[in-house]
Amino acid sequence: TIPLAFGMDAIEATAALGVPLVYVRGRPGNEMFAAERPSPVYRNRDARLFLQFRNGRLTGWKGDWGRNWMWQ
């Protein structure tokens, strides 16, 4: 797969991650999407990756593995 890079559009980011993006919030062109990926660290949990797009281009991303995962 291709690594994520700033400036990608949503289609390129989907191809790089190999999973579909799910809309989270935002106006057209300035959306936030989430990608669900199996995590090698937490075998039974999915790792979410949030991607921020501005003017249709990827401007940042952040991983989120949930809160207090040991007590859920």
Side-chain angles (χ1 to χ4, degrees), residues 1 6 8 16 21-22 24 41 45-46 57 60 66 70:
T1 60
F6 294 110
M8 288 182 157
L21 299 180
V22 178
V24 176
V41 178
R45 297 178 58 82
D46 285 340
R57 298 293 175 186
M70 292 179 69

Side-chain angles (χ1 to χ4, degrees), residues 6 8 10-11 20 23 26 29 35 39-42 44 47-48 52 55 61 65 67:
F6 294 110
M8 288 182 157
I11 294 170
Y23 172 82
S39 173
V41 178
Y42 307 113
N44 296 325
R48 288 176 293 187
Q52 178 69 52
N55 297 319
W61 58 88
W65 293 272
R67 295 185 186 138

Side-chain angles (χ1 to χ4, degrees), residues 1-35:
T1 60
I2 304 166
L4 289 176
F6 294 110
M8 288 182 157
D9 62 21
I11 294 170
E12 293 169 329
T14 299
L17 295 171
V19 295
L21 299 180
V22 178
Y23 172 82
V24 176
R25 67 174 185 233
R27 294 186 211 170
N30 295 317
E31 301 101 343
M32 180 180 289
F33 291 98

